[in-house]
Amino acid sequence: MDRLLAFVKKEFLHIFRDQRTLLILFGMPLVMVTLFGFALTNEIKNARVAILDNDHGIHSRQITDKLLSSGYFQLDRNLYSYREIETAFRQGKLKLALVFPANFTDDYEHGRSAQVQLVSDASEQNTALSLVNYATAIIRDYSAGLTPTAHPPMQVNIISRMVYNPELKGVFVFVPGVMTLVLLLISAMMTSITIAREKEVGTMEVLLVSPLSQFQILLGKMVPYMLLSFINGCVIMGLGVWLLGMPLNGSLGLLLAETLLYIVLSLSLGLLISSMVNTQLLAMFGSMIVLLMPSLFLSGFLFPIASMPRLLQVISNIIPAKYFIEVIKGIMIKGVGLSVLWRETTVLAGMTALFIVLTLRNLKPRLA
Amino acid sequence: MRQIRFLIEKEFKQLFRNTILLRMMIGTPVLQLILLSYAANYEVKNLNISILDQDHTTFSQRLAGKFRHIDNFRFLGYVPSLKQAQNDLLVGRADLVLVIPPRFERDLYREDQAPVQLLVNAVDGSKAGIANGYASSIVQDFNQEVRIENVPVAPGLSQQLAIEPQYWYNPRLEYRTFMVPGVLFELLILIGMLIAALNIVREKEIGTQEQLNVTPIKKYQFILGKLIPFVLIGLLQLTMGLLVAVFLFNIPIEGSLALLYGFAFLFLLLCVGMGLLISAVSETQQQAMYAAFFFIMFFILLSGLFSSIEDMPRWAQIINIINPLQYIIAVGRNVMLKGSGFRDMQSQFVALLILTVVVLSLATWRYRKTV
């Protein structure tokens, strides 16, 4: 026990001696969560549109006005021929062009079919779809306002209730995702580099012949970083609540406990990576390349897992971030407890145990 | 000139000796490009819906039946109570619950109108909006059917105003077409910047930097010797990525291939330059790694691939000016999909060029021969 304590103390000294790294460790998550928390959004505002008005009638002008005053669209330019649309799209700034044919107003007034074209740049398909939907709704609204029809018979009224997030805030998606990602990567990188460095400079062999057991070495490596990461985790959660407007509807104690579990998981993942490679370069490469992109794409943070091909849905099950995002959303937004989150919690705990066992197995043969 | 050649030779030898690293540098990006491009899909499918039917009439059952064989929905079944319905939402079993109130059918006949309630799990706001749209249109279809059957003269709500949407460059609205060019360049920056960042610092840490410092090699020669191998590897990765894009994902390259490579070359110079700059100011590999990680995260998340740049707050757009990824993704997408030419992409070119010059000058200046 004394030996272990001494070892932990040594690790702490190592960490605190390098003040620059310490500053990065604490400053970086702060900056990242704040920056991404505010900057990432999928609410559409100020999309650039161009108007090609061959009509110059009252309806084309009023529809244009309604569109531009809706807050979603911003006039990029007026066009004078159909060919200019292509030129504008090629420069890449324009997202949508509204085309009113000649006689649009006249046709409409005389009950003939009047057609307005919404030409969108669908190379950015998600934006294109949303913009077309918004514009369609605004135009429909306009035409409905012109012809107030009588109440139709046998009307089913749909009352939608947006449960948990009535204002449909984007924060609820992006903030848990960013918190999860930042915590995972920073923690995993910290430990992945520590063992790799000992290997590189040769002190790992000294450690392995010391009377400390394998498990004690791991524990000694883990404890100091666990404390650091936990402080980081608390700061991140605090930022989420006080600065970025995440609610905290569930139990704070449970949130902190789950955060600690997730941190231990991330740290042991880092240890596992570093037990498999021999240089810091490879350790970092492993933790960055293998963790960053798959966690970003397969955790359900950005893309719905239910829409992925079967194989990727299966793979997504081994992405730890996926479970922690559910846990954060569950506790903070829905306010649920362990009775609901037991499955995610079990998976996270199970993964942690597995990583530790694998790390221990990987370290052993080095003694021979 | 000869000195640079020797340096480059040395770098390549070191790279080829480390077969694990080499395999990771070449293999992982291609694998990830393929896998992740399938994942990058915002489409909302397979929505789980459960239904609370408190009416139990022909109408209510018909309405429920509407959700049975629709692609976007997975009908979980009926729930017995509102409490159970809310619980389904809480534990995440259901994405939506349709609540049909008692006397639904009777009200529809007698009062000429009846409500139905849709409870939507809105933690993910944009998904909830789309789910609600799908479900509402199904209910409206049902409404239309019922009306035609029961009202003798169906009101011919003649749609005077026709709206014709057109989707250019991606008429089938496939996500991959949009995502693949982006993911490709993300992987390039990830690898180019990271490896370069760690490279010099490593030489510092293991002491070989000092050996280089006592040789008569000039600063710029040293920087060039480090740049060229990594840029070449980056171009190789780009080529493999483009092959995957064209042959596996059928993404067209409408514009000039030479233009694409020209831009990629500039971009890679910049990435590697940033890596060199980071390693010039860091003392340990650990510091270099964290700095590289910070910038890479920042570049990727604000690149416009996941969240449109125009919708970001003003200050974020200003910070984003230094984000090389946003320019190259715009170039990749516009040149590949729309056939944009150099003149269309001028502003991106100027931005990348300025960034490259600044970064490389800084890196050369910060790299000191005296440690």
Side-chain angles (χ1 to χ4, degrees):
Chain A
M1 199 58 211
D2 281 351
R3 285 196 206 115
L4 185 62
L5 274 179
F7 182 50
V8 170
K9 206 174 139 195
K10 180 216 107 182
E11 288 292 319
F12 261 120
L13 285 178
H14 262 304
I15 298 170
F16 283 109
R17 208 166 39 200
D18 185 359
Q19 287 178 346
R20 227 163 125 182
T21 307
L22 211 58
L23 189 74
I24 299 176
L25 281 185
F26 282 109
M28 199 164 62
L30 213 104
V31 175
M32 280 180 150
V33 172
T34 315
L35 177 68
F36 300 136
F38 280 117
L40 295 179
T41 163
N42 43 23
E43 293 154 33
I44 294 203
K45 41 194 181 227
N46 303 325
R48 286 168 187 264
V49 292
I51 310 285
L52 172 55
D53 187 352
N54 295 318
D55 177 44
H56 299 291
I58 173 155
H59 289 311
S60 71
R61 246 175 293 148
Q62 281 183 351
I63 289 178
T64 305
D65 286 346
K66 258 201 112 163
L67 211 68
L68 295 181
S69 60
S70 66
Y72 299 124
F73 301 99
Q74 186 192 339
L75 182 66
D76 186 69
R77 64 188 91 176
N78 283 302
L79 302 175
Y80 300 97
S81 80
Y82 204 76
R83 285 183 50 198
E84 285 177 54
I85 300 177
E86 176 120 37
T87 321
F89 274 158
R90 281 205 174 145
Q91 289 167 0
K93 287 215 172 102
L94 187 67
K95 307 283 179 200
L96 183 75
L98 232 72
V99 183
F100 297 100
N103 303 324
F104 175 77
T105 298
D106 199 48
D107 285 345
Y108 187 80
E109 302 260 289
H110 290 90
R112 292 189 291 267
S113 159
Q115 194 188 54
V116 48
Q117 273 181 15
L118 301 174
V119 184
S120 64
D121 170 3
S123 67
E124 228 174 293
Q125 91 96 274
N126 209 37
T127 314
L129 263 182
S130 313
L131 292 181
V132 166
N133 286 340
Y134 282 167
T136 305
I138 291 170
I139 298 170
R140 288 256 159 82
D141 210 41
Y142 173 77
S143 88
L146 289 178
T147 48
T149 41
H151 178 69
M154 292 191 85
Q155 172 75 24
V156 178
N157 300 316
I158 304 158
I159 305 159
S160 297
R161 252 187 59 206
M162 297 294 165
V163 191
Y164 311 122
N165 182 8
E167 295 162 62
L168 297 181
K169 287 193 211 157
V171 174
F172 287 14
V173 173
F174 285 108
V175 174
V178 168
M179 291 203 267
T180 303
L181 217 58
V182 169
L183 212 51
L184 171 78
L185 286 160
I186 295 202
S187 309
M189 282 194 299
M190 281 201 281
T191 41
S192 80
I193 204 165
T194 157
I195 287 192
R197 182 161 60 192
E198 302 244 18
K199 281 186 190 170
E200 224 173 19
V201 296
T203 45
M204 193 64 200
E205 269 144 53
V206 182
L207 267 182
L208 285 177
V209 294
S210 74
L212 287 166
S213 72
Q214 306 269 327
F215 188 69
Q216 283 176 320
I217 294 176
L218 277 200
L219 206 62
K221 287 278 175 197
M222 194 110 92
V223 168
Y225 290 108
M226 205 161 84
L227 279 175
L228 287 182
S229 296
F230 189 63
I231 297 172
N232 258 337
C234 293
V235 170
I236 290 175
M237 296 296 158
L239 279 181
V241 173
W242 286 309
L243 199 62
L244 296 164
M246 284 290 287
L248 180 51
N249 292 327
S251 137
L252 177 66
L254 181 63
L255 182 67
L256 291 181
E258 294 274 2
T259 305
L260 191 63
L261 172 62
Y262 184 63
I263 284 170
V264 175
L265 169 107
S266 311
L267 293 173
S268 46
L269 191 56
L271 287 174
L272 177 63
I273 291 173
S274 68
S275 74
M276 296 193 292
V277 299
N278 287 319
T279 60
Q280 293 184 71
L281 183 68
L282 280 178
M284 285 175 250
F285 203 77
S287 43
M288 278 278 283
I289 311 265
V290 181
L291 291 183
L292 178 59
M293 296 288 273
S295 300
L296 201 57
F297 279 77
L298 300 177
S299 63
F301 165 28
L302 295 163
F303 308 105
I305 294 175
S307 308
M308 290 176 195
R310 199 96 210 105
L311 175 70
L312 288 179
Q313 291 193 26
V314 174
I315 296 179
S316 80
N317 288 326
I318 60 166
I319 306 284
K322 169 185 161 179
Y323 302 96
F324 192 58
I325 289 179
E326 285 306 314
V327 168
I328 293 193
K329 285 181 177 172
I331 298 175
M332 295 182 93
I333 302 171
K334 295 183 177 175
V336 295
L338 260 186
S339 59
V340 170
L341 297 170
W342 62 270
R343 195 177 286 115
E344 283 81 3
T345 312
T346 315
V347 174
L348 289 174
M351 283 181 164
T352 312
L354 180 72
F355 293 151
I356 291 177
V357 169
L358 286 177
T359 311
L360 285 173
R361 257 192 39 188
N362 273 339
L363 280 180
K364 245 173 200 148
R366 319 206 113 255
L367 269 175
Chain B
M1 212 45 221
R2 269 189 51 205
Q3 272 125 337
I4 301 182
R5 223 188 60 214
F6 286 137
L7 263 182
I8 294 173
E9 221 181 291
K10 181 211 99 178
E11 290 295 330
F12 269 114
K13 272 194 185 144
Q14 277 183 333
L15 273 172
F16 284 115
R17 207 166 35 206
N18 197 341
T19 47
I20 305 177
L21 184 68
L22 199 68
R23 250 181 292 163
M24 280 176 101
M25 277 173 69
I26 308 284
T28 38
V30 175
L31 190 68
Q32 292 201 5
L33 179 67
I34 296 172
L35 275 184
L36 299 181
S37 299
Y38 282 107
N41 185 342
Y42 286 107
E43 209 178 329
V44 177
K45 283 193 293 198
N46 300 327
L47 289 159
N48 292 315
I49 185 166
S50 52
I51 294 178
L52 171 59
D53 183 0
Q54 296 165 317
D55 193 34
H56 302 290
T57 53
T58 338
F59 271 8
S60 72
Q61 273 157 22
R62 263 179 67 186
L63 177 54
K66 286 262 158 203
F67 285 91
R68 268 174 196 273
H69 301 291
I70 303 258
D71 254 3
N72 295 314
F73 290 97
R74 216 158 35 200
F75 180 48
L76 294 175
Y78 292 100
V79 283
S81 67
L82 191 62
K83 210 169 159 201
Q84 174 71 45
Q86 280 163 340
N87 193 52
D88 272 7
L89 283 176
L90 196 68
V91 301
R93 216 171 81 86
D95 299 305
L96 299 117
V97 181
L98 176 69
V99 182
I100 304 172
R103 297 198 301 273
F104 172 69
E105 186 175 302
R106 209 192 67 183
D107 284 354
L108 211 49
Y109 277 125
R110 288 201 193 157
E111 318 277 329
D112 242 7
Q113 56 176 327
V116 291
Q117 203 179 26
L118 273 173
L119 305 177
V120 188
N121 172 6
V123 170
D124 184 339
S126 59
K127 182 180 163 188
I130 295 169
N132 183 42
Y134 288 161
S136 303
S137 74
I138 291 176
V139 175
Q140 274 161 6
D141 276 355
F142 162 80
N143 195 181
Q144 195 68 24
E145 259 182 48
V146 170
R147 201 177 276 154
I148 290 169
E149 285 165 20
N150 292 280
V151 183
V153 189
L157 279 169
S158 67
Q159 192 62 257
Q160 281 188 317
L161 214 157
I163 300 167
E164 190 212 304
Q166 295 185 3
Y167 300 99
W168 286 14
Y169 311 115
N170 184 7
R172 281 188 297 160
L173 292 173
E174 290 194 33
Y175 284 93
R176 248 169 276 151
T177 308
F178 161 64
M179 279 294 171
V180 169
V183 179
L184 178 59
F185 285 110
E186 264 175 31
L187 290 164
L188 276 190
I189 201 173
L190 194 61
I191 296 188
M193 201 165 143
L194 193 66
I195 300 289
L198 297 174
N199 186 284
I200 294 191
V201 170
R202 185 176 148 82
E203 299 224 22
K204 264 193 214 171
E205 251 184 349
I206 59 181
T208 46
Q209 183 72 56
E210 281 170 37
Q211 289 170 18
L212 271 175
N213 285 344
V214 295
T215 62
I217 195 159
K218 302 227 167 48
K219 270 190 186 185
Y220 80 91
Q221 292 177 323
F222 173 76
I223 297 280
L224 272 181
K226 289 278 177 195
L227 272 179
I228 293 169
F230 291 117
V231 171
L232 286 180
I233 288 177
L235 288 176
L236 177 68
Q237 286 170 349
L238 175 72
T239 308
M240 297 202 307
L242 287 179
L243 289 175
V244 170
V246 172
F247 292 107
L248 189 66
F249 294 125
N250 293 318
I251 294 171
I253 301 184
E254 299 282 350
S256 142
L257 204 57
L259 185 66
L260 200 59
Y261 270 89
F263 265 104
F265 178 73
L266 191 60
F267 172 71
L268 283 166
L269 269 186
L270 179 57
C271 292
V272 178
M274 285 185 173
L276 293 180
L277 180 60
I278 287 174
S279 65
V281 296
S282 319
E283 292 153 355
T284 60
Q285 291 189 62
Q286 193 172 15
Q287 287 172 4
M289 171 185 69
Y290 281 119
F293 163 68
F294 175 78
F295 280 105
I296 288 170
M297 273 283 269
F298 163 58
F299 292 155
I300 289 182
L301 284 176
L302 301 189
S303 66
L305 198 58
F306 306 117
S307 158
S308 188
I309 295 172
E310 292 94 74
D311 301 331
M312 292 175 192
R314 192 95 203 97
W315 56 264
Q317 294 185 24
I318 292 171
I319 304 180
N320 219 2
I321 287 176
I322 63 158
N323 184 352
L325 203 53
Q326 83 154 289
Y327 302 114
I328 195 74
I329 287 180
V331 169
R333 224 186 270 147
N334 287 319
V335 173
M336 283 173 78
L337 306 180
K338 304 182 199 166
S340 304
F342 180 74
R343 287 192 42 184
D344 301 317
M345 296 288 105
Q346 265 176 44
S347 61
Q348 278 83 0
F349 178 75
V350 173
L352 282 175
L353 190 67
I354 294 177
L355 282 175
T356 309
V357 170
V358 171
V359 165
L360 285 180
S361 320
L362 278 176
T364 317
W365 171 72
R366 263 305 309 220
Y367 159 68
R368 299 207 174 91
K369 290 198 66 169
T370 48
V371 175

